Structures are given as structure tokens and as C-alpha cells.
Amino acid sequence: MAAPRRFGALPRWITHLADSALPFLLPALAINVAIILIPGLLTIAMAFFEWDGASTPAFVGLDNFRTIFTDPVFFSALFNNIKWTVIFLTIPIAMGLGAGSLLLVARRGRTFFQVVYFLPVIIATVVVARVWQGMIYNPESGLVGWFKFYGITLADPLTQPPTALYAVASVDLWHWWGFLAVIFFAAYRQVDSAQIEAAVIDGASFFQLMRYVLIPAIRPTITLMIIMTIIWSFLAFDFVYVLTQGGPAYASEVLSTLSYRYAFYNYTMGPAAAVALVISFFGLIATFFYVRIQQREGVR
Amino acid sequence: MKTMKTMKNYERKRRVEGFLLKKTKLDFMARVATLTAAATLSTSAWADGPITLWYQRGGNPEQQRILQKDLVEPFNAAHPTTPLTLDVLAGGSGDKKIRMAVISGKGPDIVMTPGPSTTLALVQSDHLLPLDDYIKKYNLDKRILSPVLRTGEYKGHNYALPRTFETMVLYYNKTLFDKNGWAPPKTMAELNIIAEALLAKNITPFSVGNGDWRAANEWHVSVVLNHYAGPENIFKALKGEIPWTDPVFAQAIDVLKNWYQKGWFGKNYFSLTGDQQALLLAKGEAGMAPNGTFSFDNMVAAFKQTGQELGVAPFPTLRDGLPYPIYAIGTGSTMSINKDSANPDAAAAFLDYLYSDAFYDRISKDWPGDWNLPLTSIDEAKLSKNVSPIFAATFTAFSKAVAQGNYGYTTWTFWPPATEDYLIHGIEQVWLGQISTTDYLGKMQEIFAKEMSEGKVPPPAAR
């Protein structure tokens, strides 16, 4: 016998939905739609309009994309983002894996070191940036200036075009790598201790343990962190903005600071939205690969 | 056939419906209540009620205390039915917050912006009230210096009153100059002599930097454009009569490029903060500093620390044939009335207080550096009672020169936004030898022409 219809005369598909998980998803979905989807769609639309933020927008088709693709700063910013991605895919992940495994091995002081590594992550980015700018890099009031007393004159790395981007990236690295260390440590702890013990009994050295047991075991976590790093690298903004605002002479300009300048200094929202779409495009590629990898691992 | 389950669900449904019905009833009554309350309150708010000012430039606790004491309390004492509520926005992005709020129809009654090019966008999108009637009512056109007042004009109406007027001057270490028997330079030749002599002694000629304010680059561009190319040429270029690629501008930028590349700016231009620049000058490790009158407080504080003597002089004329002294006018911030203000009359009364001698007397004692109102009544004798003689002398000379027509145009007041942004960042490429002066001015002209065709250039007042 068919299930009796409930809620009076409502059609069956609604009752099916009501029975499903939808009511539980609705609140989060509503917030997502209002705060993420709608503004996202508006940004995509804005990339094809010309708007100064105050008057009425005017449709301009692909003009905004033409504007950004003929701006040499756009390509140097894109290249800076790629450099940033390469830096963050290698150094902090290697440091995080190493530190995580050290935390795993150490019994005593484990909590203490976890806290020490994680502390920079929880300090506000502006504070971190100002400390590095004023107390470390500054040639008058910082560590760089202190070397003058020993006869070594160093230039402020933030002010030389060849080193500006790397100087900013170093600050973000210092701020960020502890997060990865803690994440990887948590992942290591999920590894079946029997496997580790078996390897140790078989006479594996520390590096062999890492290479053959630990890292393969936490591969899903590493993959996730790699994809997130790629996405976050294209979003990098705060340290560049506070430390150099993209200077000197656009040497440390990244796509998000470029977008910000277009929007809030030049008051041209169209190109800003176009740059934002380019950023999202790279994020989308990374997400696509992540989903593919996940599906493949699911099959296995 | 109804099962037990369906019976229960049926009851549940009835209960839910009953609850909803009750809720709707409550809702309806609540709505009626609020509407009536709003109606009664709003009718009284048209005549009385607080007016708001969002102070866009930010301020530390001491400065906030000064604002309360000198700006808010005396006004509120005189206007108890329309008191002023002051909101000090954190410095840096206050102007963007105000702009967003005003555009969305909310925002403060009194709109404070960082200058005419920001105000222009708000005027064009019809968010600011024309102030002509209030100017006449309170005689503000007689109380505010005319060329500065006119920076707020657009299409025949005035929309913004200038809150600070500022200019670029040459600060110098008087102790150092006296020791070497130098007088502050008045011409390019004199400037060259002193700068070369300083370099020979391993002293940085100009203590400048953009470590904490990247836009400091435009101070120096303003200086060479006004004091080499001259205000008449700038006026023509801003009206579109000559291009920015004109040879006189190219020569001006070359002067600036040479200063940087010869080492007149020192090695740490991109790292030095305002405080550090002032301190270097005060210690005698630098000889001069082209900077704005807005940095007066900084300089005075630094020189107090080291005990050396501060000197201020007008910036030298860099090309023969130009008058001396020239003061480039900067309107560091403006005050307007929000078109959506519920109480524009009270806002105007506040502006009347703002430009009064009573207020200027109070604020110049406590915080002169940021509140240089362009009043016609600025008098050296009166001013020296409250501020250092050197500040009084500089300001009186500045206002006199402006009143006589010897004024120029700072880039942050008279340039449209995208051109100004390129001016700031592009000059770094010129300094670092990445692009040529021709390329720099060519790109600037391109951006300027586009903004001009879009009506984004704030029109300069006739000379």
C-alpha cells in the first residue's frame, strides 16, 4: 500500500523534499546564497559593466578584459601570484611535514612546541606585518638597521624591486607555516600506530619511516593542503597591502591588490571585477583537479 | 484509512497552523505599533535631533579628546536641540566607508571627504546638497579664502567647503644651516649649491620617504610641477588645453628624476616613515625636507626631541621667470551636507561654527596641524598667541599669497582619481629607471584624457 499522503494536499515531490535532509541544509544554504552566490553573480555581471561606484553602471561588453590584458602590471601581478604559489607549495609544506613528524616523535614538550609553532598564525596579520616592517626590515629602527653598528649596511628588502615580493612572502611564510605543522601533526596522529611500530621494528630509519609510512598515509591531507594553498595563493592580499601596497614600482603587486586599486583608488569597478574573475578562474582549475583526484581515490 | 501516525501528524499540522496564525497576528500588531511610533518620532526629528559627523581622518585618543572638547561641546552648548554626534573612523579607509554609506542613502549628515576628486563623484551621483544658500546666509564667502572656497564648485554651485588648506613647504634644519652660513634657497641655483654641499658632507639633502604613506610620492611630483612647470601651465593642462606630454612637464619630471638618482633622497626612501623623516632632519643627518604643512606637528615634535632648531621656508622656484613664492593649494579635506540628511539646517549651523574665529581660536591652541581652516581672518599676531611664531608666519604668508593669486595646484586636490593613482606609482618606475619620463607622461596623458572624457576631472577655479 502506498504511504499515506501527509500535510494535506501538497504534491508528493515536496513531501519527499521535506522528508529529506533539505530542511536541515536550508539555513546554511540560505546564508550561502545571500552572502556568497548573489554577490558572486553580481561580480561576474560587473565585469562586463563600467561603474564608478556612485553613478549608474553602463554595459561595455569585453572592454574591461581588454583593459586588464593590455595593462603590463596585470601580467607582472599574475606572474607574482605564480611565484607566490610556487613558494608556498614548497617551503611551508616541507616545513610543516617535518615539524609535524618531529611533534609526533617527541613525547615531552609536544604541547609547548605546538603552541609555539601556532602562535604566529593567531596574531592579526596587520600586527605581524607592522612588526616585520618596523622592527625587522626597517633600516632605521629594525634589525636590518642594527647591523649598521657592525659595519654591515643592508638594504631594506621590502624596498628593492628584485626582493620586495620575496620579503613579503617571507613574512607570510612565518605567519603561516605553523598552521600546516599543526594540521599535518593531527593527520599523523590518525595513522595506525601498528604500522609505525612495525616499521620501527623492521629497522626503518626516521627518513624511511617518513617516506614509506607517514607521508603516504596522510596523502589525502597533503593533497587538500596543496589545493588550498594554490587557491589561497591567488587570493594573497593582506601582507602585500600592508607592507608594500604592491610597490616599489609594482614589484610586489599581486592580482588582488591590483583589483583593489582598480576598485577603490581608480573607482573603476569593471576592471576590478574582471581581475577578480581571473583569480576565481585559477581557483576553479585547482578545485577541478582536486575533485578529480578525490574521485579517483574514491574509485580505488 | 487513517493510521495512528497520520492522526498525530494531523494534530501537529493544526498546532503549527494555530501557532503561525497567532504569530501573524502579533506581527501585524507589532508593525502597526512601530509605524505609529516612527511617525510620531519622525515628525519631531525634522526640526530637532542629533546630527552626525564621521571624522574621516582617524585620531588617537588624545586627538579624539580634543575634538570632543573644541568641536563638539561648544556647538552642543549653543545648539542643545540639534547636538552633534561625532564618530571618529579609524584612519586609512574612513573615506571609503563614508562614500559607501552616502551612496547607499544613509551616511552622516555632514560628509567629510579627503578632497575634491572624491567629492566630485558624490556630486555627480547627486548625493550632496548645494551649499550656495547657506554660504550666503552665513557670509561664508567672506570668511573663507576665495580661491580655496572655489575648489568646491561644480557646474556653478558650491558643494564642498574646504576644511584644511595646506601646501608644500621646505622644512630645514636651521641649526645646521646657521652653522654653515646658509640661507634657505630661493632659486634652483641656490638649491643646487646647498644640496651639493650637503652631499659632500655625507648629509642627505632631502629627508623624504614613503614607508608609511605610499602617496607621499605625489608631494614631490606636485612640487616639481608647480615650482618648475608653473601653475599657469598646470591650469592649462587640467583644462585639457595642453597635454601632460608638453616639454615643460617633461623637464619638470626630469628634475625630480635627477634628484632621486643623484642621491638627494637618500638610500631609504621606500622605508622611511613620517616620524623617521622628521627625526633624521632634526638630528642633522638630513638638511632639508620638502613636505606639507600637514607635517608641522611631526617636525615640531622631532625637533623638540633633539633640541635643534626648525626652519620653514617657501619652496624655491625652480625655473627662471616664475614668481616667488608660489604656494600650491591643497584642500586636505572638505565638508559637505548629505542630500539625505534629515536636518540640513542644523548641519549648516554646524558649518557656521566650524568656520568661526571662536572655533579656530580653540583648535589652533590644541591641534593646529590638522585644522588649518582657510579663513580670511588669519592674522599673524592673533595666531602667534596660540601657536609657534614659525607656524603663524608660514600660515599668514600662505593665506596672503593665495589671496593675491600666487597659488598653484596640488595633485591630491585637483587631479582625477586614476590619473593620480598612476602618478603615484608610475614615478617609482621613473626613479628606478624602469620607464622613461616620456613613457610616464604619455601614459598619464592617456589616463587623464579618458577621465576627462568621462567628466571625472574636478574643474579648477579660474585664475
Side-chain angles (χ1 to χ4, degrees):
Chain A
M1 181 166 104
R5 293 179 68 192
R6 289 170 270 186
F7 287 101
L10 288 172
R12 192 171 295 274
W13 64 273
I14 292 185
T15 59
H16 272 311
L17 279 176
D19 281 343
S20 69
L22 192 64
F24 295 97
L25 293 174
L26 227 39
L29 198 62
I31 294 175
N32 236 285
V33 167
I35 297 179
I36 296 179
L37 183 65
I38 293 180
L41 292 174
L42 285 176
T43 306
I44 296 176
M46 194 150 63
F48 300 97
F49 281 78
E50 163 111 33
W51 188 41
D52 70 349
S55 45
T56 26
F59 182 73
V60 288
L62 293 173
D63 265 356
N64 291 325
F65 289 94
R66 223 164 290 151
T67 309
I68 63 174
F69 290 143
T70 50
D71 185 354
V73 180
F74 172 77
F75 290 102
S76 74
L78 179 59
F79 192 45
N80 280 345
N81 275 104
I82 293 175
K83 280 192 230 174
W84 190 280
T85 311
V86 169
I87 295 174
F88 276 81
L89 278 179
T90 49
I91 303 175
I93 291 187
M95 287 171 74
L97 286 172
S101 61
L102 291 175
L103 285 172
L104 188 70
V105 164
R107 295 268 145 212
R108 307 172 71 187
R110 181 188 277 178
T111 319
F112 170 74
F113 280 106
Q114 262 196 305
V115 167
V116 165
Y117 293 157
F118 201 67
L119 221 49
V121 181
I122 61 174
I123 303 177
T125 52
V126 178
V127 174
V128 172
R130 290 289 183 216
V131 165
W132 278 78
Q133 191 178 42
M135 290 168 67
I136 297 180
Y137 283 143
N138 197 292
E140 287 291 315
S141 57
L143 209 59
V144 166
W146 184 65
F147 284 116
K148 264 196 295 199
F149 291 125
Y150 297 90
I152 310 171
T153 332
L154 291 172
D156 180 348
L158 288 174
T159 64
Q160 313 294 315
T163 56
L165 184 70
Y166 301 109
V168 177
S170 304
V171 181
D172 203 352
L173 265 171
W174 180 86
H175 168 81
W176 174 244
W177 81 274
F179 178 74
L180 290 177
V182 168
I183 295 264
F184 289 138
F185 172 57
Y188 284 144
R189 286 175 69 172
Q190 309 279 28
V191 175
D192 188 359
S193 56
Q195 287 198 339
I196 301 178
E197 283 167 14
V200 169
I201 289 172
D202 282 345
S205 74
F206 180 72
F207 290 106
Q208 286 173 323
L209 184 71
M210 284 274 284
R211 189 174 156 203
Y212 294 110
V213 179
L214 290 175
I215 292 183
I218 64 166
R219 240 220 346 224
T221 312
I222 298 180
T223 316
L224 175 66
M225 283 297 116
I226 287 179
I227 301 294
M228 295 313 293
T229 300
I230 296 177
I231 296 177
W232 285 327
S233 297
F234 280 92
L235 295 175
F237 175 82
D238 34 18
F239 283 102
V240 179
Y241 183 71
V242 177
L243 287 168
T244 59
Q245 297 94 51
Y250 305 117
S252 60
E253 188 91 72
V254 288
L255 288 175
S256 44
T257 51
L258 181 65
S259 177
Y260 187 83
R261 262 199 310 113
Y262 273 131
F264 299 110
Y265 286 91
N266 298 3
Y267 296 120
T268 50
M269 305 295 165
V275 175
L277 284 190
V278 172
I279 296 174
S280 312
F281 170 71
F282 284 98
L284 218 60
I285 296 182
T287 315
F288 168 73
F289 278 109
Y290 179 60
V291 169
R292 255 224 340 216
I293 293 172
Q294 270 205 318
Q295 284 177 337
R296 249 197 256 142
E297 284 188 354
V299 165
R300 213 182 309 154
Chain B
M1 184 171 86
K2 288 207 167 115
T3 58
M4 277 300 288
K5 216 153 120 197
T6 27
M7 281 293 284
K8 277 220 185 90
N9 285 332
Y10 190 68
E11 282 169 24
R12 207 195 315 158
K13 180 191 169 209
R14 287 255 75 92
R15 253 184 279 145
V16 168
E17 281 179 349
F19 172 71
L20 284 170
L21 204 58
K22 242 192 265 172
K23 197 167 172 291
T24 347
K25 260 203 225 142
L26 275 169
D27 206 36
F28 178 76
M29 292 199 303
R31 266 188 246 228
V32 171
T34 28
L35 274 175
T36 350
T40 34
L41 280 173
S42 59
T43 41
S44 55
W46 280 105
D48 290 333
I51 50 175
T52 46
L53 164 65
W54 293 1
Y55 188 76
Q56 167 256 324
R57 286 165 68 86
N60 60 41
E62 173 62 25
Q63 292 165 337
Q64 291 182 37
R65 195 190 57 82
I66 291 174
L67 288 174
Q68 278 297 124
K69 177 168 87 80
D70 293 338
L71 190 64
V72 181
E73 280 162 25
F75 177 77
N76 290 357
H79 299 83
T81 51
T82 57
L84 179 77
T85 319
L86 182 69
D87 244 319
V88 178
L89 300 179
S93 58
D95 58 315
K96 298 179 183 60
K97 290 195 189 91
I98 294 175
R99 194 182 139 102
M100 296 294 165
V102 171
I103 287 171
S104 62
K106 308 265 166 58
D109 297 275
I110 298 163
V111 181
M112 180 173 164
T113 77
S117 57
T118 317
T119 328
L120 185 68
L122 293 174
V123 170
Q124 286 174 325
S125 57
D126 206 27
H127 285 102
L128 296 178
L129 217 54
L131 300 171
D132 310 296
D133 293 335
Y134 292 125
I135 291 177
K136 242 189 262 326
K137 175 173 173 192
Y138 293 108
N139 277 326
L140 289 170
D141 48 349
K142 308 233 172 26
R143 291 154 61 182
I144 301 178
L145 286 170
S146 172
V148 197
L149 179 62
R150 282 183 305 175
T151 58
E153 261 172 40
Y154 180 73
K155 291 215 171 122
H157 296 281
N158 193 307
Y159 291 88
L161 300 177
R163 185 191 73 101
T164 56
F165 77 141
E166 52 200 18
T167 187
M168 292 296 296
V169 291
L170 188 69
Y171 295 96
Y172 62 97
N173 188 318
K174 191 155 191 299
T175 314
L176 184 69
F177 270 51
D178 288 343
K179 198 162 68 168
N180 288 288
W182 294 325
K186 291 201 176 71
T187 64
M188 175 79 118
E190 288 173 23
L191 180 65
N192 279 332
I193 295 174
I194 296 182
E196 298 296 322
L198 284 168
L199 277 176
K201 289 185 207 282
N202 241 340
I203 302 176
T204 316
F206 286 154
S207 180
V208 287
N210 76 353
D212 58 349
W213 180 245
R214 186 140 232 107
N217 297 350
E218 66 178 331
W219 303 344
H220 310 297
V221 179
S222 284
V223 155
V224 291
L225 287 181
N226 279 283
H227 297 270
Y228 188 95
E232 296 288 349
N233 285 321
I234 297 181
F235 180 70
K236 286 199 200 120
L238 286 173
K239 296 215 80 131
E241 289 164 22
I242 61 175
W244 291 107
T245 45
D246 192 281
V248 75
F249 297 125
Q251 288 159 18
I253 299 293
D254 279 335
V255 167
L256 185 59
K257 184 169 82 165
N258 285 334
W259 284 354
Y260 183 90
Q261 291 178 347
K262 275 195 290 198
W264 288 22
F265 283 8
K267 293 201 194 65
N268 295 317
Y269 177 82
F270 292 105
S271 320
L272 291 179
T273 63
D275 292 334
Q276 291 171 334
Q277 293 161 40
L279 203 56
L280 281 178
L281 184 69
K283 285 197 281 191
E285 288 173 27
M288 303 174 272
N291 208 318
T293 47
F294 38 74
S295 300
F296 226 103
D297 295 336
N298 252 11
M299 293 288 173
V300 166
F303 275 83
K304 213 192 307 210
Q305 260 189 301
T306 61
Q308 299 192 19
E309 205 187 331
L310 171 67
V312 183
F315 203 85
T317 308
L318 301 173
R319 190 163 63 104
D320 294 328
L322 286 178
Y324 174 90
I326 297 174
Y327 291 99
I329 295 181
T331 304
S333 75
T334 64
M335 299 291 223
S336 308
I337 299 183
N338 194 335
K339 199 158 199 184
D340 292 303
S341 165
N343 205 342
D345 290 336
F350 172 75
L351 290 175
D352 173 46
Y353 171 64
L354 194 68
Y355 290 96
S356 66
D357 288 341
F359 172 66
Y360 191 62
D361 213 30
R362 289 192 183 102
I363 200 76
S364 53
K365 227 180 302 203
D366 295 328
W367 194 5
D370 195 47
W371 282 90
N372 307 308
L373 294 154
L375 299 171
T376 49
S377 60
I378 291 184
D379 175 79
E380 187 165 355
K382 244 191 338 183
L383 204 49
S384 317
K385 278 192 287 136
N386 292 333
V387 300
S388 64
I390 200 176
F391 184 90
T394 311
F395 260 90
T396 330
F398 180 22
S399 350
K400 272 210 201 79
V402 170
Q404 288 167 355
N406 271 357
Y407 58 88
Y409 306 91
T410 55
T411 56
W412 57 94
T413 308
F414 294 93
W415 264 241
T419 315
E420 188 196 349
D421 187 62
Y422 179 70
L423 189 144
I424 293 171
H425 288 91
I427 193 67
E428 290 179 2
Q429 294 179 301
V430 175
W431 281 334
L432 294 169
Q434 291 176 0
I435 61 174
S436 68
T437 306
T438 328
D439 289 335
Y440 174 62
L441 288 172
K443 182 102 195 270
M444 201 190 306
Q445 174 59 28
E446 203 186 296
I447 301 176
F448 181 81
K450 182 162 188 287
E451 288 197 290
M452 182 137 230
S453 68
E454 291 165 357
K456 289 187 181 164
V457 183
R463 293 185 68 79

